[in-house]
Amino acid sequence: MSVRNHSFVTAFVIVGFPGLQPEFYGLASTVLFLVYCCILIGNVVVIILFATHNVLHKPMYFIILNLVVSDVLFSTTTLPKIIARYWFQAGAISFFGCFLQMYLVHYFGAVTSLLLLIMALDRYVSICFPLRYPMIIKNSTIHILNVTAWVLAHLPSLSLVIRAYPLPYCDSNKIMQCYCDHIAITTLACTDRVPYSFPAFVVAMVVLLGPLAFIIFSYCSIIVAVVQIASPQGRLKTLSTCSGQLIIIALYFLPRCFIYLASNIGIRFSTDLRIVVIMLYSLLPPMINPLIYCLRTDEIKQIMIKRFRRIQVHVQ
């Protein structure tokens, strides 16, 4: 009998936080709903600003636009189901639906990782090769790189799904997570998980550490270039153009690398703590990034200041 024929599970149940008492379900769903609203509002504002101001049609802002779209799609893939689980006790998800969600979760994660690499490339060329920047980094170049990121991200995501989908699932169907991901699903398989978990770990590390290695190289090169600038004001101004990107990159990469490495070197967390950490690093960047875009990028900041001044004039 084939492995596939041993799969008796036809649907999964997303548990969310296993230790959460039922009297707190309403509070949990309300908090998650507010987080989702903040993510949508903040990122939609950035999209509207980009669509209505031609001054933002520059390489860096095209990268930011793609990050915004990825953040919104990731949040829309994960949050509505866990909100429904706590608000309406609707935690069931079909077998196919769970694997589709798993694919999209890892896909948008890979897209974001590659887009952050492109963002670092933009800063690297801008600061280390300022005279060549207009020739190397054009809008057309960034469009090609962005499309490449969205296409390449399919490969690791598909590899995870293709290896996990045929496994036998014949015992528990409870997903101890707020959404379906590779670890949460394959833990339920009625087979030795080691031959599947290690390749998945390698894929995750390539998706994370590949872009991160270039990002570290680019910002080390940027630091070297900044040190060579004669005036202190020039050094501070140059570094300020990178501060927002560094915050975004740190929020994305550092917690993920820690969780992946910790789970593979024997560091154990309680299930609820692990899920809280995963939800924080999954949802905090999409919620905070629009603030960083608005406060740490000069063009968007100036547009926002002008808008507020106009509102004040109309109110008076």
Side-chain angles (χ1 to χ4, degrees):
M1 187 181 292
S2 67
V3 170
R4 178 66 188 278
N5 289 336
H6 287 286
S7 294
F8 301 126
V9 172
T10 58
F12 292 101
V13 176
I14 294 178
V15 174
F17 303 97
L20 188 66
Q21 299 300 314
E23 56 264 30
F24 297 109
Y25 284 4
L27 177 62
S29 59
T30 301
V31 170
L32 291 170
F33 177 74
L34 291 175
V35 167
Y36 186 45
C37 288
C38 289
I39 291 171
L40 288 181
I41 292 169
N43 286 285
V44 167
V45 166
V46 175
I47 292 172
I48 292 172
L49 289 176
F50 182 87
T52 55
H53 293 81
N54 290 334
V55 69
L56 299 180
H57 294 182
K58 298 177 181 178
M60 173 53 67
Y61 295 104
F62 280 112
I63 301 169
I64 289 175
L65 178 66
N66 279 265
L67 282 170
V68 164
V69 172
S70 179
D71 284 344
V72 169
L73 292 177
F74 175 86
S75 303
T76 302
T77 297
T78 56
L79 279 174
K81 189 59 189 177
I82 190 61
I83 292 170
R85 182 263 181 273
Y86 283 123
W87 222 329
F88 308 112
Q89 287 71 55
I93 183 170
S94 68
F95 191 89
F96 175 79
C98 192
F99 277 90
L100 177 60
Q101 188 184 54
M102 180 187 102
Y103 168 77
L104 292 174
V105 162
H106 294 291
Y107 173 66
F108 293 127
V111 167
T112 300
S113 183
L114 293 171
L115 290 174
L116 292 175
L117 183 153
I118 298 170
M119 179 181 284
L121 174 65
D122 176 87
R123 291 298 85 198
Y124 170 70
V125 176
S126 174
I127 294 171
C128 297
F129 305 97
L131 298 179
R132 298 183 188 177
Y133 180 82
M135 294 180 290
I136 299 174
I137 304 296
K138 303 175 183 177
N139 283 349
S140 58
T141 306
I142 291 300
H143 292 329
I144 293 170
L145 291 174
N146 287 337
V147 170
T148 302
W150 286 91
V151 172
L152 286 181
H154 286 292
L155 299 178
S157 310
L158 280 173
S159 69
L160 294 176
V161 172
I162 289 170
R163 288 182 63 82
Y165 191 81
L167 295 180
Y169 300 94
C170 53
D171 191 7
S172 174
N173 68 338
K174 296 185 183 298
I175 302 288
M176 296 299 175
Q177 177 58 287
C178 291
Y179 50 77
C180 298
D181 67 2
H182 185 269
I183 294 176
I185 293 177
T186 56
T187 300
L188 304 179
C190 307
T191 186
D192 182 12
R193 190 172 166 271
V194 174
Y196 302 92
S197 61
F198 182 73
F201 172 73
V202 171
V203 169
M205 287 298 99
V206 169
V207 171
L208 282 175
L209 298 184
L212 184 59
F214 176 79
I215 290 169
I216 292 171
F217 161 76
S218 65
Y219 279 98
C220 287
S221 301
I222 287 171
I223 291 171
V224 172
V226 167
V227 169
Q228 295 174 354
I229 297 175
S231 71
Q233 294 83 0
R235 287 196 290 268
L236 286 174
K237 184 178 180 180
T238 303
L239 285 175
S240 68
T241 65
C242 301
S243 58
Q245 289 88 338
L246 280 172
I247 295 170
I248 294 168
I249 288 166
L251 283 172
Y252 180 83
F253 283 104
L254 294 183
R256 281 173 168 81
C257 289
F258 174 73
I259 287 293
Y260 276 116
L261 290 173
S263 62
N264 282 273
I265 63 176
I267 299 176
R268 293 288 177 261
F269 306 98
S270 69
T271 303
D272 285 305
L273 178 59
R274 182 177 63 83
I275 293 172
V276 166
V277 172
I278 291 172
M279 291 299 286
L280 281 174
Y281 76 58
S282 297
L283 301 177
L284 200 59
M287 193 165 55
I288 292 178
N289 285 352
L291 288 175
I292 298 172
Y293 303 146
C294 293
L295 297 177
R296 301 303 302 175
T297 54
D298 289 336
E299 286 90 347
I300 294 181
K301 185 164 63 175
Q302 291 303 318
I303 290 170
M304 296 297 291
I305 290 171
K306 289 178 182 178
R307 286 284 180 95
F308 283 125
R309 285 176 179 171
R310 287 176 186 172
I311 291 172
Q312 287 178 346
V313 169
H314 287 306
V315 170
Q316 293 173 354

